[in-house]
Amino acid sequence: MKKDDLILVTIEDLSNEGLGIGRSGGTAFFIKDTVIGDTVEAKIMKMKKTYGYARLVRLLSPSKDRVMPPCPVARQCGGCQLQAMSYEAQLRFKENKVKNALMRIGGFQNPPMEPILGMEHPFRHRNKAQYPVGRNKEGRITAGFYAGRTHDIIENRDCLLGPEINRKILDIVLFHMEMYDIEPYDEKSCSGLVRHIMIRQGFRTGQIMVCLVLNGTSLPASQNLIEALQKIPSMTSISISVNRENTNVILGRKIKLLWGSEYIEDRIEELVFRISPLSFYQVNPFQTEKLYGKALEYAGLTGQETVWDLYCGTGTISLFLARQAKQVFGVEIVPEAIRDARENAARNQITNASFYVGKAEEVLPQKYQEEGIRADVIVVDPPRKGCEPSVLATMVQIRPEKIVYVSCDPATLARDLKYLCGEGYELERVCPVDMFGMSGHVECVVLMSKVKE
């Protein structure tokens, strides 16, 4: 088989990126815009030694789980991979994705799976969006999202994953740019002014933040834009972020407030969090409550425990735990995140949570050896690459009764659990959580317990 050949394929699985996987002539092919159970005609686009990529040409027999995507640009846009799959089928896929990773990578023959926690409403759940700005083929200023694996902007002012107010905000900003001849940023020439439009909303408070990312330090006629945006109910913060670097990083480090507050606020249950343009905050607040609630359930706190929260970020999980623990200690290597964590603790009048800047594998042993601070429970929420080996070794050295692992990647989760089970722990409970509907990503909460000697 070679490039441009037409092949007949039945889709049997999905990749982590949501590409359909099927075989033709003994070769596995990855095919975008397909659903498990589809039979399709596809055109080979690229061949590797043991697999290939193909483009959907014709749907011959649709899967029983195939639905019509409600977004008109779902196929072109790189933001959603699973809109053509029913939400019930998405949940089954994600549950199986976690289970298969635990079995294949972790070596767990019968993982103690619990039903995935899905959403009541899988659309309009994202509280943050970052829209790149550019010009379309007709030369008109546009905003939207990048097509998969490219920086080609697919125009979309009303993403169905975000709140409806985003469209009105984008209309106002783009109209302002047209009115005052403000150029969008061009990546090839590194010229132009407006790079991105970031919008954040507190779903519980309704407060709205708009931050324009600029290849410069000021916006022409900014007062006129402020007056237009101010008319939107609950508009709370308008700012610019200066980013003159030739980089894929969206926000610059310098934020300049144009109007209103430097932050917005939102609530997770009764806890209040301040959110600045640079703050980390979970993008799906409704599912965050389920995720943190499950972590708290697994920790099984009675009020007598000392808990360490590794990779604590801005302290969101730490503050949840502090309500039922004797003492919580959070560790994070990013100083700005620890500053936010301390402010969040003070804001919520939580006095039994302390936060340290540094590497967990250094801070945890130091506090244990110098101050006798042990850990009854360790909660860990690492980035997608999983825990550093030194962090895993430190957890084993400290030997807490329980480890609660919050993961955003089933593969690295399975790898780390395999290590912990080889060092005196057993896997007790596993619960997937769907934080990102319409995408292939899945979060997971796991309970590990120390094997009784």
Side-chain angles (χ1 to χ4, degrees), residues 307-319:
V307 181
W308 280 86
D309 180 11
L310 314 185
Y311 304 95
C312 71
T314 56
T316 47
I317 294 182
S318 299
L319 300 187

Side-chain angles (χ1 to χ4, degrees), residues 53-66:
Y53 290 91
R55 179 175 57 83
L56 174 64
V57 174
R58 191 158 53 107
L59 181 63
L60 301 177
S61 176
S63 165
K64 60 180 177 56
D65 295 319
R66 176 175 279 277

Side-chain angles (χ1 to χ4, degrees), residues 170-279:
L170 291 174
D171 287 346
I172 291 172
V173 174
L174 298 187
F175 176 80
H176 182 83
M177 292 178 65
E178 293 279 11
M179 176 68 67
Y180 295 97
D181 295 322
I182 301 171
E183 277 297 310
Y185 183 70
D186 180 82
E187 288 186 343
K188 295 179 181 178
S189 64
C190 297
S191 63
L193 183 63
V194 181
R195 300 174 70 133
H196 282 79
I197 303 167
M198 185 185 79
I199 306 171
R200 303 183 85 157
Q201 183 176 31
F203 276 19
R204 300 298 188 191
T205 63
Q207 295 179 4
I208 299 172
M209 168 185 289
V210 176
C211 182
L212 304 185
V213 184
L214 303 184
N215 180 38
T217 58
S218 62
L219 182 75
S222 60
Q223 189 58 40
N224 292 347
L225 177 63
I226 291 169
E227 291 174 1
L229 290 174
Q230 274 182 281
K231 295 177 183 178
I232 296 176
S234 298
M235 183 61 64
T236 305
S237 174
I238 304 173
S239 61
I240 62 173
S241 169
V242 178
N243 184 357
R244 287 175 149 171
E245 303 295 323
N246 183 13
T247 175
N248 288 332
V249 176
I250 294 175
L251 289 171
R253 301 304 302 174
K254 182 179 179 181
I255 305 295
K256 179 181 177 182
L257 183 67
L258 298 182
W259 175 86
S261 173
E262 293 180 345
Y263 57 84
I264 60 173
E265 291 184 341
D266 201 15
R267 296 192 304 272
I268 303 177
E269 292 188 357
E270 73 273 18
L271 296 174
V272 179
F273 296 92
R274 289 183 176 182
I275 309 164
S276 68
L278 293 171
S279 293

Side-chain angles (χ1 to χ4, degrees), residues 24-221:
S24 179
T27 300
F29 284 93
F30 294 86
I31 308 173
K32 186 177 177 293
D33 304 313
T34 56
V35 173
I36 296 173
D38 282 345
T39 299
V40 303
E41 183 182 47
K43 183 178 182 180
I44 298 176
M45 306 304 294
K46 184 186 296 185
M47 286 296 301
K48 300 289 187 177
K49 287 185 178 180
T50 58
Y51 63 93
Y53 290 91
R55 179 175 57 83
L56 174 64
V57 174
R58 191 158 53 107
L59 181 63
L60 301 177
S61 176
S63 165
K64 60 180 177 56
D65 295 319
R66 176 175 279 277
V67 296
M68 178 64 71
C71 175
V73 295
R75 184 169 178 178
Q76 302 98 301
C77 179
C80 292
Q81 301 90 45
L82 304 181
Q83 266 201 40
M85 179 186 286
S86 73
Y87 187 59
E88 294 75 15
Q90 290 182 36
L91 294 181
R92 290 198 304 271
F93 163 69
K94 294 181 181 186
E95 198 172 288
N96 287 330
K97 180 178 177 179
V98 173
K99 183 178 180 180
N100 291 338
L102 292 176
M103 294 174 66
R104 180 173 53 85
I105 301 171
F108 301 100
Q109 294 305 309
N110 189 24
M113 301 288 298
E114 297 178 8
I116 187 171
L117 299 179
M119 303 182 218
E120 285 78 17
H121 306 287
F123 291 98
R124 304 293 187 192
H125 59 263
R126 289 186 64 96
N127 59 18
K128 176 184 177 183
Q130 300 177 128
Y131 297 87
V133 183
R135 289 192 180 275
N136 62 17
K137 294 179 180 179
E138 290 73 38
R140 183 168 48 86
I141 297 176
T142 187
F145 297 100
Y146 293 131
R149 300 177 182 273
T150 76
H151 274 200
D152 298 331
I153 298 175
I154 303 301
E155 185 169 8
N156 184 5
R157 300 192 194 185
D158 186 25
C159 173
L160 299 183
L161 300 188
E164 294 176 86
I165 194 64
N166 287 2
R167 177 169 189 163
K168 185 173 183 179
I169 294 170
L170 291 174
D171 287 346
I172 291 172
V173 174
L174 298 187
F175 176 80
H176 182 83
M177 292 178 65
E178 293 279 11
M179 176 68 67
Y180 295 97
D181 295 322
I182 301 171
E183 277 297 310
Y185 183 70
D186 180 82
E187 288 186 343
K188 295 179 181 178
S189 64
C190 297
S191 63
L193 183 63
V194 181
R195 300 174 70 133
H196 282 79
I197 303 167
M198 185 185 79
I199 306 171
R200 303 183 85 157
Q201 183 176 31
F203 276 19
R204 300 298 188 191
T205 63
Q207 295 179 4
I208 299 172
M209 168 185 289
V210 176
C211 182
L212 304 185
V213 184
L214 303 184
N215 180 38
T217 58
S218 62
L219 182 75

